[in-house]
Amino acid sequence: MGIEAELAWRSPARGTLFESPLWCEQTDSLYWVDVVDASIHRHCFADGLSKRWDMPRPPGSIALVSATRLLVAMRAALVILDTETGTHTPYGLHGPALEEDRFNDGVTDRQGNFWVGTMDRKLAAPLARLFRIGTGGRAEATPVGARLSNGLAFSPDGRRLYLSKTFEREIRCFAVDPLTGALSDERLLVAYADDIAGRPDGSTVAADGTLWSARIGGGCIDRYDADGKLLGRLELPTSHPTHCMFGGADMNMLFVATSRFGEEFAHDHKDDTAAGHMLGFRVGCAGLLPTPFAHAGR
């Protein structure tokens, strides 16, 4: 069940907790965030240059707005980052407020709305909600019964949403109305057995509709079909992948975000030299371009 892949790239930058890889076709660049070091990174494959933007609060996820602007979900607010000037401006929300939860993983749907999950700040109670942010910053929130929501990804037709409940060790899916964003028909897709190492974290969907899910603590990316059947596993040279996304000129490079955050990296994983890097694998599968956030102006 192994997935054949070639490790073709490793980021020059090494961080602590990389997340939210995001491909920009217009600039031939990969963006990602470092949650612990409160920064956003970019590597341009056209000229080989890398850049970093320090943020006032830890970013959880990002989405494209245009070739030079990003929507950034920080702990308790959204901002627009101008990558040419380095300035960031608040993006106001109208709707439910954050309470004992904060923003975490996010993704745009095929219509350009931004969906962002939350997590209990203490990781103790199933307080996570799923926010859908649309025209004019109008926000709607749905409880998802998780301590930490992750792994948001849409099917190619946009009518199915995947969500990982990291601490409950399961992946769920919902039917989505593309026009209203209404969720229905929630069902369990994958439940991790007790003898399986790791937890489901960030994920992405390929053009063929398969779900690629990073298993943090398990050292791999699991590939599932739409019914939750395991089709293959990409074994990684590091133990803590956090997220993945397709990119590159042919969209057949799987970029994997990794972490070296936590006490275990001071002891058990001292020789894990790939941890804390972005990794790029050529795989026999192509992904989908991300849809820019449609409600911030261009």
Side-chain angles (χ1 to χ4, degrees):
M1 259 199 234
I3 296 174
E4 291 187 10
E6 171 197 357
L7 178 57
W9 176 78
R10 186 165 88 165
S11 64
R14 192 181 192 194
T16 304
L17 177 51
F18 285 166
E19 276 279 11
S20 196
L22 179 67
W23 180 253
C24 179
E25 180 187 36
Q26 294 160 289
T27 60
D28 196 25
S29 298
L30 179 72
Y31 288 93
W32 65 93
V33 310
D34 192 323
V35 178
V36 173
D37 292 339
S39 54
I40 296 173
H41 299 254
R42 179 182 69 196
H43 182 81
C44 177
F45 286 82
D47 57 21
L49 298 179
S50 298
K51 190 167 183 177
R52 167 183 171 139
W53 295 267
D54 291 321
M55 301 300 291
R57 296 287 186 274
S61 53
I62 51 178
L64 292 173
V65 175
S66 68
T68 59
R69 294 198 295 163
L70 298 175
L71 179 68
V72 184
M74 298 193 295
R75 284 183 173 176
L78 300 182
V79 300
I80 302 290
L81 171 68
D82 186 317
T83 60
E84 291 187 320
T85 64
T87 58
H88 42 83
T89 56
Y91 183 79
L93 296 181
H94 306 284
L98 292 170
E99 298 168 357
E100 297 302 316
D101 52 346
R102 67 174 178 86
F103 290 134
N104 190 45
D105 187 37
V107 69
T108 49
D109 62 21
R110 307 299 176 214
Q111 290 70 43
N113 303 295
F114 185 60
W115 296 67
V116 58
T118 69
M119 57 183 284
D120 174 26
R121 293 175 183 269
K122 297 178 181 179
L123 289 176
L127 303 178
R129 292 178 288 171
L130 183 57
F131 281 71
R132 176 182 180 266
I133 299 161
T135 305
R138 184 171 57 84
E140 300 167 342
T142 303
V144 294
R147 285 182 278 168
L148 170 62
S149 66
N150 255 318
L152 299 179
F154 285 90
S155 60
D157 66 3
R159 294 181 177 275
R160 176 180 288 196
L161 170 67
Y162 298 97
L163 180 145
S164 297
K165 298 169 72 169
T166 297
F167 279 86
E168 291 77 13
R169 303 181 78 236
E170 60 186 40
I171 301 173
R172 305 192 76 87
C173 67
F174 303 80
V176 186
D177 184 318
L179 296 180
T180 67
L183 300 177
S184 60
D185 299 329
E186 179 183 355
R187 67 184 178 91
L188 178 65
L189 190 78
V190 178
Y192 282 41
D194 291 342
D195 60 348
I196 298 296
R199 307 172 187 269
D201 204 327
S203 66
T204 191
V205 170
D208 64 2
T210 55
L211 178 70
W212 296 62
S213 174
R215 188 166 5 129
I216 189 168
C220 64
I221 306 293
D222 294 315
R223 182 186 181 220
Y224 299 100
D225 70 9
D227 295 318
K229 178 183 178 182
L230 182 64
L231 301 177
R233 179 171 296 130
L234 173 59
E235 300 290 348
L236 301 172
T238 184
S239 62
H240 281 56
T242 62
H243 212 309
C244 57
M245 185 183 187
F246 289 95
D250 299 318
M251 292 301 291
N252 66 352
M253 182 89 80
L254 185 70
F255 291 106
V256 178
T258 73
S259 170
R260 57 172 177 155
F261 177 68
E263 186 177 338
E264 66 266 31
F265 281 93
H267 305 286
D268 299 339
H269 302 276
K270 289 187 293 184
D271 298 326
D272 190 343
T273 58
H277 285 279
M278 291 296 304
L279 306 175
F281 295 87
R282 295 201 182 278
V283 295
C285 192
L288 299 164
L289 287 169
T291 303
F293 180 56
H295 306 297
R298 299 295 169 88

